[in-house]
Amino acid sequence: MKNSVVYSILLLMLIAFSCQNLDKIDKPENFIEEEKMIEILTDIAFVKAAKGSYKKVFDIEKINPELYILEKHGIDSLVFVENNRWYISQLDGYEKIFNKVKKNIEVSKIKFEKLKKEEDSIKRIKDSLEKVKNGLNKEKILPSSLDELELVKEELMDAEMENAVKKRVKSSSLSRKKKQ
């Protein structure tokens, strides 16, 4: 008797689940290819990050970043929503798309960090040159010809090299003392 009740409940549950209407979403008429969808979702991720950091600027300039992205890719919001809904219904494919979007963001982050280091390095060099230039102007030692400028440049480079060697010698002797 117990078994028949359990089987009856299982049969009812099976019938109930099999009667569910599982509509499959049709592919949109204006279909966005996977690669383009990845580009759009990557751009949206960047814009949302920027919007979080620069919300005030977006508000002052009355910029709608999501609309800008859609215009950039030549689609309207309805086409995007239909395609996004279709891709969501293709769960495995959507996961693959998001993994590619994540990879794009990571690659861009690495590129940004590399550019930032290069910019910082260039700024330090410019600052050093400006400091040297200002020092020369204050001392009124500016050369009157290119030949003299070359000599001054070589002298400055020699002085900088000597200073670098002295610093290296000091730091290596300090590290030797620490090891002992």
Side-chain angles (χ1 to χ4, degrees):
M1 173 104 175
K2 254 184 174 179
N3 285 341
S4 64
V5 172
V6 171
Y7 288 126
S8 297
I9 292 173
L10 287 174
L11 183 62
L12 285 174
M13 288 177 57
L14 181 63
I15 292 171
F17 284 117
S18 66
C19 292
Q20 275 187 344
N21 187 7
L22 299 174
D23 289 335
K24 188 173 183 177
I25 297 174
D26 293 330
K27 198 173 193 177
E29 193 173 305
N30 295 327
F31 183 69
I32 299 173
E33 294 297 326
E34 187 176 309
E35 287 304 313
K36 186 166 185 168
M37 193 67 168
I38 291 168
E39 289 176 27
I40 294 169
L41 291 172
T42 300
D43 286 348
I44 288 173
F46 282 126
V47 165
K48 286 191 181 221
K51 190 175 182 182
S53 299
Y54 300 102
K55 184 175 179 10
K56 200 173 198 177
V57 174
F58 283 104
D59 291 343
I60 290 170
E61 298 295 326
K62 295 181 176 127
I63 297 171
N64 182 340
E66 288 83 6
L67 182 62
Y68 168 76
I69 296 300
L70 296 177
E71 287 175 358
K72 174 184 170 187
H73 292 281
I75 59 172
D76 63 26
S77 58
L78 183 59
V79 170
F80 175 73
V81 168
E82 288 172 348
N83 278 274
N84 199 39
R85 207 171 101 210
W86 183 82
Y87 277 110
I88 288 172
S89 72
Q90 314 295 317
L91 194 55
D92 291 335
Y94 206 56
E95 183 179 6
K96 187 172 97 175
I97 287 173
F98 268 113
N99 286 333
K100 287 183 180 180
V101 169
K102 184 179 175 184
K103 182 180 176 187
N104 288 347
I105 292 169
E106 289 170 359
V107 167
S108 294
K109 181 181 175 185
I110 291 168
K111 286 180 182 177
F112 172 78
E113 288 171 351
K114 184 178 177 184
L115 283 173
K116 181 74 172 133
K117 285 180 183 177
E118 288 176 9
E119 285 178 1
D120 290 346
S121 176
I122 290 170
K123 186 178 180 334
R124 282 194 304 273
I125 291 169
K126 284 182 179 178
D127 289 347
S128 295
L129 290 174
E130 190 65 31
K131 194 174 182 182
V132 169
K133 182 180 171 185
N134 288 338
L136 290 175
N137 284 335
K138 287 178 184 174
E139 296 175 17
K140 307 245 186 248
I141 313 176
L142 283 177
S144 57
S145 72
L146 289 176
D147 292 333
E148 289 180 51
L149 182 62
E150 241 351 272
L151 288 172
V152 170
K153 180 178 139 186
E154 287 177 20
E155 289 173 4
L156 287 172
M157 287 178 72
D158 288 341
E160 287 295 320
M161 288 170 83
E162 286 177 31
N163 287 336
V165 168
K166 287 178 185 176
K167 286 180 183 177
R168 247 189 236 136
V169 169
K170 274 186 183 179
S171 67
S172 66
S173 64
L174 287 175
S175 63
R176 284 183 196 146
K177 288 179 183 178
K178 286 180 183 179
K179 287 181 182 177
Q180 294 174 355

